[in-house]
Amino acid sequence: MSKTIRPLILSLLATALFTAPARAEETPDQRAAKTVQAMTADERRQLTHGIMAVPIFGAPLPADAVLGAGFVPGVKRLGVPNLTETDASLGVAYLMGARHDGATALPSGMAQGASFDPEMMRAAGAVIGAEAKAKGFNVMLAGGVNLIREPRGGRTFEYLSEDPLLSGRLGGASIAGIQSNHIVSTMKHYALNGQETARKNADVSISDAAARESDLLAFEIAIEDGQPGSVMCAYNLVNTVHACGSPYLLDKALKKDWSYKGFVMSDWGAVSGVGDAMAGLDQQSGQQLDRKVYFDKPLAEAAAKDAKVAARVDDMARRIVSALYAVGADKDPAVKAPIDLAKNAAVAERAALEGIVLLRNTGVLPLSGAAKSIAVIGGYADVGVLSGAGSSQVQGEGGPSASVPHGGEGLFAGVLTENYHRSSPLKAIRARAHGTKVIYRDGRYVSQAVEAAKSADVAIVFATQWQSEGLDQPDLGLPNGQDALIAAVAAANPHTIVVLETGGPVLTPWLDKTAAVLEAWYPGARGGEAIARILFGEVSPSGRLPVTFPADVAQLPRPKVDGMATTEPDFTGVAGGAVVPVNYDIEGSDVGYRWFARTGARPAFPFGFGLSYTSFSHGPLSLAKTKGGLIATTHVRNTGAKAGADVVQLYLTDRAGKPTRRLAGFQRVELQPGEDKAVEIRIEPRILADWAGDGWAITPGAYRFAIGTDAETLGESATLALPARRLKP
Ligand code: BGC
């Protein structure tokens, strides 16, 4: 070939190569379908069930399992990784004492919910996801977005809020953050998993419309925002059918209506039979906790007899592989790596600072040098901050600083322990109380606490309400006589500050006697520091209640927790025992503040409430229809003397002539003193709509919106006329 022709050919070839239309990349689904096609029937089925990866069931763990909540062997020859699974939304869990390697504990779900900050949620999710991966896990059993229908629920601390938009947006952001590490996150517990009493036998009744407009909407939004690779179905029954065997929940709503591409895994011990596969369940998890390993031999037998079952097994395997491919878990495997816990703790501290809610302040806060002596009382404040118990329990490096066992038998005994993270509020207060005398009394003896309070300029009482998976609270009072302790201290010292470390809402009968109340929830790895920083005004409190604080349990749709009087708390429980009916049609989709708006009852503190050390004003509200949807605009000004963050809350107050109260959008805004920022809020259209059987329907008419500083205190408002509109499910 001549010297001149060769370059010509090469250049033509290069042009052809680079200008030829790029072959469309295969979707994870298409790739997964090919991989599954290459599998044997046994390999496919093997992906559909897994063990709880703890050595308490007799059999040794498989060599490549990681000590954690779950393990499902992959298919090595085809490059499908093992599924190595760990709990949960608050960090890598300690597995009832089986793991001792320490992890970053984020503040509880309630604290995260109080941030109203998807950006922080994403950052915090990214941190716990990275820790999970560095410990060898590629599936995180996180993403708890159940609505708080039962404030006495034992898992209130794990969940985010009572509002579908808030829970969906924050849950989705957290899931996206976790998955940014190329690992799968679940979203759970699907669905309507509102109480722990009779946790495997509570039968929730609710209409389709009420479910779609409330709890299911939270899941739907979290899926859109977070794209979780997996959904974990719940223990409870919904309208007489087990959630993990519910064609309505799994097949219809999730897979058909929302076009969900990932896989459904069962909660541990939530499978009722091989038939659950045909309802849409893709994987049996923690199989030792079920009566049988249904998705092994029984599934193989069913598939051999029925082509429909065989096709379903293919689909189950494809969904699982597709979820791994979608996050890149095959290309970027989870390998053990060092973790910078100190760096990650800063993210936990940020989350705590954003989530602590100032409920009352007569002027005592922020603490100034004026107080010459402070009495710190109770709540184990000398050693740490409280955490919630159960599968989500995280332990920091070195384990808890205090552990109080609460009895129980077997697995439940391991769970029933009140653990404190090593972040002492007392130490953090002392570090900031230059020249101020700080004494500590543990609060066990009221007389001693009162004496200390009398001798000090300021008294700070730390009050705790411990919650655990498996165990609801009978009421909303503080346990162990703490209400009496607070009342006595407040009577002895007019400058009494109460710091609550509670799983969820509690009653505050002593409120008027106190000078200030801070709701710190379970504030996580750096909770003590975060509390002290807020007490001393290094940071203005900016959390807003993600849940209503009732004035009395009589105001709730269910004044008593259903089944509590007739069943014993049991962590593992037995599915198929006596069914406990729970009627969610009482409130329907009017959960939390919507129920209070409907009944006219006055809560102690409404949803969205939270004070600051500075003040804010909002400009006029305007509404516009744009190509991208409905947009609300206003501006917010910091009118005080301190930096702080406001949460601009947009409520729908009238729907085509019907008074209502629904959070339609929100935006957290950081502002320096005097600073003014424009705020643009995208209105979620499904919040305006009714579920109409096969989709959403917006009734034509005038829609009124208002900016609220909470769900009950409304300011600037505006109205927009909307035509009739149908939205896809
Ligand atoms: C909990 C789940 C958890 C699972 C695995 C169950 O008891 O309900 O939230 O992910 O255990 O630990």
Side-chain angles (χ1 to χ4, degrees):
M1 198 184 293
S2 88
K3 273 187 187 161
T4 44
I5 292 181
R6 196 162 357 134
L8 186 70
I9 292 177
L10 283 177
S11 106
L12 283 175
L13 204 69
T15 317
L17 270 178
F18 292 110
T19 54
R23 225 166 29 107
E25 269 225 10
E26 276 180 327
T27 64
D29 235 14
Q30 290 164 337
R31 268 184 69 213
K34 280 189 188 160
T35 308
V36 169
Q37 230 167 33
M39 286 180 190
T40 65
D42 282 348
E43 283 169 338
R44 283 172 213 177
R45 209 183 46 259
Q46 174 185 305
L47 284 173
T48 69
H49 65 101
I51 56 166
M52 190 172 178
V54 269
I56 53 170
F57 297 98
L61 291 187
D64 44 357
V66 181
L67 193 65
F71 177 74
V72 181
V75 182
K76 219 181 236 159
R77 71 178 185 93
L78 297 173
V80 177
N82 300 326
L83 276 71
T84 47
E85 302 172 342
T86 179
D87 285 300
S89 309
L90 312 180
V92 179
Y94 89 128
L95 209 57
M96 287 164 272
R99 293 190 70 97
H100 303 281
D101 51 343
T104 301
L106 294 180
S108 62
M110 280 284 107
Q112 296 180 30
S115 74
F116 280 68
D117 187 357
E119 194 264 316
M120 182 279 291
M121 294 295 290
R122 196 179 199 285
V127 161
I128 59 169
E131 287 194 9
K133 187 173 186 183
K135 289 171 188 286
F137 295 108
N138 63 5
V139 179
M140 210 169 189
L141 309 173
V145 298
N146 287 95
L147 298 192
I148 306 301
R149 280 182 182 262
E150 177 45 79
R152 292 155 296 192
R155 303 188 87 168
T156 300
F157 77 96
E158 285 187 59
Y159 297 138
L160 297 165
S161 87
E162 63 188 17
D163 179 79
L165 182 66
L166 183 60
S167 288
R169 290 256 179 278
L170 298 186
S174 169
I175 290 165
I178 292 170
Q179 294 198 155
S180 67
N181 295 288
H182 306 298
I183 66 171
V184 167
S185 172
T186 61
M187 180 190 70
K188 70 189 191 184
H189 305 88
Y190 184 65
L192 297 148
N193 185 225
Q195 65 174 55
E196 290 298 279
T197 302
R199 75 181 199 143
K200 289 193 177 170
N201 302 312
D203 180 11
V204 164
S205 49
I206 187 164
S207 73
D208 180 29
R212 299 275 188 159
E213 292 167 14
S214 58
D215 298 60
L216 294 202
L217 182 55
F219 282 103
E220 190 180 356
I221 292 171
I223 289 182
E224 291 162 3
D225 289 7
Q227 305 281 315
S230 178
V231 168
M232 187 191 293
C233 51
Y235 285 128
N236 53 286
L237 296 85
V238 177
N239 297 324
T240 75
V241 184
H242 275 104
C244 286
S246 164
Y248 164 74
L249 287 175
L250 308 185
D251 219 29
K252 170 90 179 77
L254 180 68
K255 292 182 177 174
K256 292 213 172 74
D257 293 345
W258 307 339
S259 310
Y260 180 65
K261 296 273 179 290
F263 68 101
V264 180
M265 66 163 75
S266 72
D267 201 341
W268 273 229
V271 184
S272 26
V274 69
D276 288 0
M278 296 315 284
L281 179 64
D282 300 304
Q283 195 173 62
Q284 176 177 15
S285 315
Q287 62 195 28
Q288 305 98 320
L289 298 181
D290 279 314
R291 288 215 175 88
K292 255 195 199 161
V293 186
Y294 298 109
F295 285 12
D296 194 19
K297 247 178 131 192
L299 188 61
E301 283 161 13
K305 279 192 229 134
D306 185 340
K308 272 202 206 125
V309 181
R312 187 72 251 287
V313 177
D314 289 0
D315 181 51
M316 290 153 83
R318 185 185 48 77
R319 283 174 171 276
I320 294 161
V321 176
S322 169
L324 293 166
Y325 286 172
V327 296
D330 56 324
K331 299 208 167 114
D332 182 7
V335 283
K336 294 200 179 139
I339 295 170
D340 188 345
L341 286 172
K343 185 167 153 235
N344 292 352
V347 178
E349 185 172 325
R350 173 185 169 198
L353 287 168
E354 290 194 11
I356 291 174
V357 185
L358 180 61
L359 293 176
R360 175 178 168 86
N361 188 13
T362 58
V364 69
L365 289 178
L367 289 172
S368 66
K372 292 291 161 250
S373 56
I374 300 175
V376 175
I377 296 163
Y380 293 86
D382 54 336
V383 291
V385 287
L386 184 57
S387 58
S391 57
S392 69
Q393 174 86 61
V394 180
Q395 285 194 354
E397 216 171 14
S401 51
S403 285
V404 186
H406 286 276
E409 285 180 359
L411 261 189
F412 204 22
V415 171
L416 284 182
T417 305
E418 182 176 332
N419 286 313
Y420 289 78
H421 292 308
R422 292 175 184 271
S423 175
S424 156
L426 177 64
K427 279 189 197 146
I429 288 169
R430 281 199 170 126
R432 287 164 177 82
H434 312 291
T436 302
K437 189 176 159 210
V438 181
I439 58 165
Y440 176 71
R441 297 291 179 264
D442 65 18
R444 286 189 304 131
Y445 291 92
V446 174
S447 62
Q448 192 187 43
V450 165
E451 198 184 320
K454 272 190 185 151
S455 75
D457 293 334
V458 170
I460 310 178
V461 187
F462 283 80
T464 58
Q465 178 223 35
W466 172 72
Q467 287 188 343
S468 172
E469 181 179 341
L471 191 67
D472 293 329
Q473 282 73 244
D475 59 44
L476 293 174
L478 288 169
N480 302 329
Q482 294 176 98
D483 282 325
L485 172 73
I486 296 170
V489 170
N493 188 326
H495 301 126
T496 294
I497 300 161
V498 178
V499 178
L500 295 169
E501 289 174 31
T502 68
V506 288
L507 303 182
T508 51
W510 28 258
L511 185 73
D512 294 348
K513 305 284 182 303
T514 63
V517 179
L518 210 57
E519 174 56 91
W521 316 103
Y522 302 154
R526 284 263 189 85
E529 284 78 6
I531 290 169
R533 288 185 69 187
I534 286 192
L535 289 174
F536 283 88
E538 287 169 26
V539 178
S540 275
S542 62
R544 301 288 188 267
L545 292 181
V547 66
T548 306
F549 275 42
D552 196 305
V553 286
Q555 295 176 323
L556 296 171
R558 284 161 293 282
K560 288 197 161 149
V561 178
D562 287 315
M564 192 175 264
T566 52
T567 54
E568 287 296 313
D570 186 356
F571 182 61
T572 44
V574 185
V579 161
V580 169
V582 181
N583 185 4
Y584 284 169
D585 275 326
I586 298 174
E587 73 274 33
S589 63
D590 288 330
V591 181
Y593 66 90
R594 296 189 192 178
W595 170 254
F596 279 78
R598 186 166 116 188
T599 58
R602 301 281 306 169
F605 296 103
F607 173 90
F609 180 82
L611 303 171
S612 168
Y613 295 154
T614 188
S615 51
F616 303 99
S617 71
H618 301 122
L621 175 66
S622 52
L623 304 164
K625 292 178 207 163
T626 72
K627 270 198 188 141
L630 296 179
I631 302 286
T633 45
T634 181
H635 60 93
V636 52
R637 174 186 289 275
N638 182 343
T639 51
K642 287 188 182 330
D646 186 29
V647 176
V648 181
Q649 303 164 42
L650 183 75
Y651 290 94
L652 174 65
T653 59
D654 199 293
R655 281 194 321 139
K658 271 198 237 154
T660 190
R661 197 65 43 89
R662 296 182 178 186
L663 184 71
F666 58 90
Q667 178 76 55
R668 186 178 189 278
V669 192
E670 305 258 1
L671 296 152
Q672 293 301 316
E675 199 182 1
D676 193 304
K677 276 188 188 163
V679 175
E680 198 179 275
I681 295 175
R682 189 169 62 83
I683 295 172
E684 167 51 53
R686 284 164 292 194
I687 295 296
L688 317 184
D690 291 304
W691 178 256
D694 54 354
W696 300 92
I698 295 184
T699 310
Y703 283 72
R704 190 160 190 79
F705 297 85
I707 301 285
T709 48
D710 59 58
E712 299 212 326
T713 315
L714 305 176
E716 294 291 332
S717 65
T719 306
L720 188 70
L722 293 177
R725 197 175 146 204
R726 302 284 293 193
L727 303 163
K728 282 209 293 220

